[in-house]
């Protein structure tokens, strides 16, 4: 039977045409000649090789050149492709390098010592996929896809092109391999890696997930290493995440409650405004109109005064919450510095919300006291007699 290594000798001595239809093969030595004769005379070798000799048998002579049509050989023998991009056309080759292959653009065979840069990048990507597969719940080598389980379920097809291989940095792949294939705490490490893969890629379109992973590989490895450092320090990454999220929810409810507690009083401001605007009358004497206007003005002042006390109390509560948030953030940076950057933005958002609530309350008080000032101005304008003359 013919072997792929015999075919490689033929490929090396072939000048491939641009369209691949007619190629010129130089019979350089006896090995090439014997292989061609085997293909020419043996039906099994002819079918397995994928090589069709276009010239007559008497032209098979040493140092001669013949026309041949070259197609990929039987898949069991090996793979023939123009370049790495052609090799990736087969889904199985995206997840695992074929055991035997030849790239005729690079003039490279699978066992050559001098490896071109394109193949080096391809092999680095294969190393990356093997490391990621350790964290996957299921890997389909025929469809070239993996399923990750953790906080949810995520399917990642290994879809990529030769141009995407530039994103794969060997040093980062080395770090991931050292992390995943070390036997100590391997189950915990792969669980952390799977969770980070899901968190990083879950919002991406399915067909773009692996490419997105390639461009964010440094981020993935860093987060995974940080998560393991927490575990190694007897702290679970998920536990820290859960505790932080609980604290954030608690503080969010507290901030919301500061406004909810005075909501009824604030809702009364428009009603009081309408009452004042419609009930104040012109008072020419110290009669009923004067005393009614005075009562309304005093009532509006007391209402705003009590509202101011309530708002001041809520502002003090916001200050306390802000202080607690600051201490929690400092503790996070101090004790869990390796993953603090992942949670600090949540505290920053709460701080921004506190600032907004504080300004809303201040604006409410400013508007209310402005209304009180306007009420007394109107009272004085509507009262013909001097107010103190009526007492």
């Amino acid at each position: 039977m013919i072997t792929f290594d015999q075919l490689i000798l033929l490929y090396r001595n072939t000048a491939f045409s641009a369209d691949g239809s007619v190629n010129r093969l130089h019979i350089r030595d006896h090995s090439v000649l014997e292989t061609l004769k085997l293909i020419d005379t043996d039906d099994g070798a002819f079918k397995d090789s994928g090589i069709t000799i276009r010239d007559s048998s008497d032209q098979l002579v040493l140092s001669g050149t013949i026309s041949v049509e070259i197609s990929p050989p039987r898949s069991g023998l090996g793979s023939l492709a123009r370049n790495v991009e052609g090799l990736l056309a087969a889904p199985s080759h995206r997840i695992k390098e074929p055991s035997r292959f030849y790239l005729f653009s690079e003039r490279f065979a699978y066992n050559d010592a001098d490896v071109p840069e394109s193949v080096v990048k391809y092999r680095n990507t294969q190393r990356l996929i093997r490391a990621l597969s350790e964290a996957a719940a299921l890997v389909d080598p025929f469809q070239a896809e993996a399923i990750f389980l953790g906080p949810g379920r995520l399917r990642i097809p290994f879809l990529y092109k030769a141009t995407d291989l530039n994103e794969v940095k060997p040093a980062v792949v080395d770090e991931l391999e050292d992390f995943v294939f070390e036997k100590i705490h391997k189950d915990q490490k792969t669980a952390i890696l799977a969770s980070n893969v899901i968190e990083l890629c879950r919002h991406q379109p399915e067909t773009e997930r692996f490419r997105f992973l390639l461009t964010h590989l440094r981020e993935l490895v860093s987060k995974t290493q940080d998560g393991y450092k927490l575990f190694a320090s007897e702290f679970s990454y998920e536990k820290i995440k859960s505790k932080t999220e609980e604290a954030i929810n608690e503080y969010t409810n507290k901030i919301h409650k500061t406004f909810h507690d005075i909501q009824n009083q604030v809702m009364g401001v428009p009603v009081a405004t309408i009452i004042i605007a419609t009930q104040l009358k012109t008072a020419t004497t110290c009669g009923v109109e004067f005393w009614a206007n005075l009562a309304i003005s005093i009532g509006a002042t007391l209402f705003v005064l009590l509202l101011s006390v309530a708002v001041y109390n809520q502002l003090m509560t916001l200050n306390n919450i802000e202080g607690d948030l600051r201490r929690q953030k400092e503790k996070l940076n101090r004790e869990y510095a390796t993953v603090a950057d992942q949670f600090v933005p949540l505290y920053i958002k709460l701080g921004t919300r506190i600032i907004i609530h504080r300004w809303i309350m201040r604006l409410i008080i400013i508007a209310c006291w402005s209304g009180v000032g306007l009420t007394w101005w109107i009272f004085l304008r509507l009262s013909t007699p001097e107010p103190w003359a009526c007492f």
Side-chain angles (χ1 to χ4, degrees):
M1 294 181 63
I2 198 167
T3 66
F4 192 71
D5 289 337
Q6 289 176 292
L7 295 179
I8 288 175
L9 288 176
L10 303 186
Y11 299 151
R12 291 191 191 280
N13 289 280
T14 300
F16 290 89
S17 63
D19 58 3
S21 57
V22 179
N23 310 285
R24 302 295 292 173
L25 193 157
H26 176 61
I27 306 175
R28 187 184 63 181
D29 52 32
H30 287 285
S31 297
V32 174
L33 180 60
E34 292 302 319
T35 302
L36 286 172
K37 287 182 178 180
L38 177 62
I39 292 173
D40 189 48
T41 57
D42 187 275
D43 287 342
F46 167 72
K47 292 178 181 179
D48 287 348
S49 69
I51 296 177
T52 302
I53 300 172
R54 292 300 186 185
D55 295 326
S56 60
S57 299
D58 56 5
Q59 290 185 272
L60 297 178
V61 294
L62 195 63
S63 299
T65 300
I66 60 172
S67 296
V68 294
E69 182 180 335
I70 298 181
S71 302
R74 179 171 58 84
S75 59
L77 287 182
S79 299
L80 174 67
R82 179 178 294 275
N83 47 33
V84 171
E85 188 68 50
L87 198 64
L88 295 175
S92 59
H93 295 167
R94 294 197 296 267
I95 198 170
K96 183 179 180 182
E97 179 183 325
S99 57
R100 292 176 296 275
F101 66 93
Y102 184 81
L103 306 178
F104 57 82
S105 288
E106 285 93 342
R107 294 289 179 179
F108 175 76
Y110 69 97
N111 53 1
D112 286 350
D114 188 13
V115 184
E117 185 66 21
S118 59
V119 177
V120 171
K121 294 177 180 178
Y122 170 65
R123 288 178 172 173
N124 285 333
T125 305
Q126 300 306 300
R127 291 168 51 209
L128 169 63
I129 290 175
R130 283 195 297 271
L132 292 174
S133 297
E134 290 292 312
L138 176 66
V139 179
D140 187 339
F142 302 105
Q143 297 296 323
E145 62 182 32
I147 294 176
F148 293 85
L149 299 179
R153 177 182 180 276
L154 190 76
R155 175 176 175 267
I156 297 185
F158 294 111
L159 297 174
Y160 60 97
K161 297 180 179 180
T163 53
D164 298 318
L165 304 184
N166 294 324
E167 302 291 343
V168 182
K169 308 303 179 186
V172 182
V173 177
D174 291 341
E175 287 184 41
L176 187 60
E177 281 187 325
D178 293 342
F179 178 84
V180 169
F181 293 109
E182 187 180 17
K183 293 183 178 180
I184 300 176
H185 296 150
K186 184 171 182 178
D187 290 343
Q188 288 79 9
K189 288 178 178 179
T190 54
I192 293 170
L193 177 57
S195 296
N196 285 329
V197 168
I198 293 173
E199 184 175 351
L200 190 64
C201 299
R202 61 184 173 182
H203 298 303
Q204 301 301 315
E206 189 173 273
T207 56
E208 295 297 324
R209 285 171 181 167
F210 186 67
R211 291 191 184 95
F212 184 81
L213 201 60
L214 294 182
T215 58
H216 293 76
L217 187 58
R218 174 73 272 174
E219 179 184 352
L220 172 67
V221 174
S222 297
K223 283 186 175 182
T224 302
Q225 290 171 335
D226 291 343
Y228 176 68
K229 288 176 184 177
L230 283 177
F231 171 81
S233 303
E234 298 181 357
F235 287 99
S236 164
Y237 175 81
E238 289 299 325
K239 181 179 178 181
I240 297 299
K241 183 179 179 181
S242 176
K243 287 175 63 178
T244 302
E245 289 177 347
E246 288 178 4
I248 293 297
N249 289 334
E250 181 181 348
Y251 284 119
T252 300
N253 291 333
K254 286 181 178 180
I255 295 171
H256 175 72
K257 192 172 184 293
T258 59
F259 188 79
H260 183 269
D261 288 347
I262 62 170
Q263 184 175 345
N264 291 334
Q265 292 95 315
V266 172
M267 292 298 291
V269 171
V271 177
T273 303
I274 294 172
I275 292 173
I276 293 171
T278 59
Q279 296 302 314
L280 289 177
K281 308 293 183 182
T282 302
T284 56
T285 63
C286 295
V288 176
E289 290 83 1
F290 173 83
W291 295 109
N293 290 348
L294 180 63
I296 292 172
S297 300
I298 292 174
T301 304
L302 290 175
F303 174 80
V304 172
L305 181 63
L306 294 174
L307 178 61
S308 299
V309 172
V311 170
Y312 176 78
N313 180 64
Q314 299 306 86
L315 288 173
M316 293 300 99
T317 302
L318 283 176
N319 289 339
N320 291 335
I321 295 173
E322 188 176 39
D324 286 344
L325 281 175
R326 189 182 303 111
R327 286 188 289 272
Q328 289 290 334
K329 187 167 64 174
E330 290 173 354
K331 180 180 179 181
L332 184 67
N333 285 318
R334 184 175 63 253
E335 298 182 4
Y336 313 119
T338 55
V339 294
D341 290 343
Q342 301 179 43
F343 303 112
V344 166
L346 299 176
Y347 287 95
I348 294 176
K349 288 181 180 179
L350 284 182
T352 303
R353 187 168 183 176
I354 288 175
I355 293 172
I356 293 173
H357 273 241
R358 183 182 288 130
W359 275 108
I360 289 175
M361 291 183 183
R362 288 172 178 171
L363 290 174
I364 289 172
I365 291 304
I366 291 173
C368 288
W369 280 109
S370 298
V372 169
L374 182 62
T375 299
W376 283 104
W377 182 81
I378 294 173
F379 169 76
L380 294 174
R381 297 287 293 180
L382 293 177
S383 300
T384 301
E386 295 293 337
W388 51 84
C390 297
F391 290 93

